[in-house]
Amino acid sequence: MRLLVCGGAGFIGSTFVRQRLREHGDEVVVLDKLTYAGREENLQDLAGEQGFRFMRGAIEDPAAVAEAIAAAGPAQAIVNFAAETHVDRSIADPDAFVATHALGTYVLLEAARAGGLRYVQVSTDEVYGSIEQGTFTEDSPLAPSSPYSATKAGADLLVLSYHHTYELAATICRGSNNYGPYQYPEKLIPLMVLNALHGDSLPVYGDGMQVRNWIHATDFARAIGHVLEHGAVGEVYNAGGPDEEANIEVVRRIIELTGAAQSQIEHVKDRPGHDRRYSLSSEKVRALGWEPRVRFADGLAETVAWYAENGWWWEPIRSGEYREYYAQQYGRALQD
Ligand code: NAD
Ligand code: DAU
């Protein structure tokens, strides 16, 4: 298939691109704005590989999107990962979240409609809000809590409206919390791993009893590819990981894997509007033949080892904009 992958220089997008090129023989053009989270380093092992091309541009720019679709041969499908993805940043400054999720998704949908392209929107379990007990299905009502999840939910509704109104061949795939190599260290797992390795404190929000449903990025990327190939248009598919765990337990596992000290744990002020628990039922996508392959204990150990061995990837981040973000968010500087 000839694909336009938007946001393909990010954590999950680059994992998806690697799979599609190497395991499925697809041709891929990546369109990515290269925000602080988008990095060509995430794709550097693919440079020069047949069928791969990178283009820098924003999804809210119709000319850049048209150029990228044409460069893809033209593209037969758009898979949209492009997003602002950090909840804490959406609380501090929601502006870019509205622009990328609302306007950007609209521009892509218009381009897909004009070209008669297949469209897959990558979305999140956070659109359902928090669930104390039980698990969300695709029919659960949308009840997003943060500017991040509210703008993602808005984008999902726009996608479904394009299917309903214009018969666009669009499908949505909603994932639970991803982890794995190449994840920007503002997110819980890479943040805790790098802080543990550097002797920094491990900032746990509130009581640390918030529960997340962990899925390895390779499993979520495979689910998105599966939905692209086998999903029905106009449908939503949830892809949740096989394991749930409270944040404090995740941090304890990381301490064990890195040899850090328990005393590095520091309970800090809670996130405003913090969702207590996420849990996704994946029965619908499992019925299409997908299932997660990586259990959390194995995937976490492999992820910790990757960060420990790949300083070339995170050293430029820890010495750049991230230091300022961290100082502002946590009220303290990172160790050198
Ligand atoms: P990420 O922050 O690592 O990457 C996002 C990518 O989008 C970056 O490369 C960035 O440069 C690019 N981008 C941002 N705004 C853009 C714009 N306006 N135009 C073009 N490119 C733009 O994010 P991620 O964790 O890889 O998430 C990818 C997608 O998966 C997102 O849509 C996110 O909502 C969804 N998702 C993430 C998780 C998770 O746990 N990380 C879970 C479920 C769903
Ligand atoms: O559920 C899917 C979502 O998972 C994605 O849609 C988002 O893009 C992704 O960022 C993620 O959102 P979370 O808010 O769950 O992820 P984050 O890594 O920011 O936080 C995970 C949990 O850890 C959450 O309960 C907050 C907590 N936390 C996070 C950080 C950064 C801490 O306790 N301390 C921290 O320093």
Side-chain angles (χ1 to χ4, degrees), residues 12-27:
I12 308 168
S14 60
T15 305
F16 177 80
V17 170
R18 203 167 282 115
Q19 280 181 1
R20 297 309 304 186
L21 279 167
R22 294 188 176 158
E23 296 169 25
H24 299 268
D26 289 342
E27 292 171 38

Side-chain angles (χ1 to χ4, degrees), residues 184-218:
Y184 198 81
E186 63 194 353
K187 306 286 171 26
L188 179 76
I189 288 179
L191 183 150
M192 295 295 174
V193 172
L194 293 189
N195 282 19
L197 293 173
H198 286 84
D200 283 299
S201 67
L202 306 175
V204 173
Y205 293 163
D207 63 5
M209 292 307 291
Q210 304 84 4
V211 171
R212 296 294 183 263
N213 181 187
W214 293 103
I215 184 168
H216 197 274
T218 54

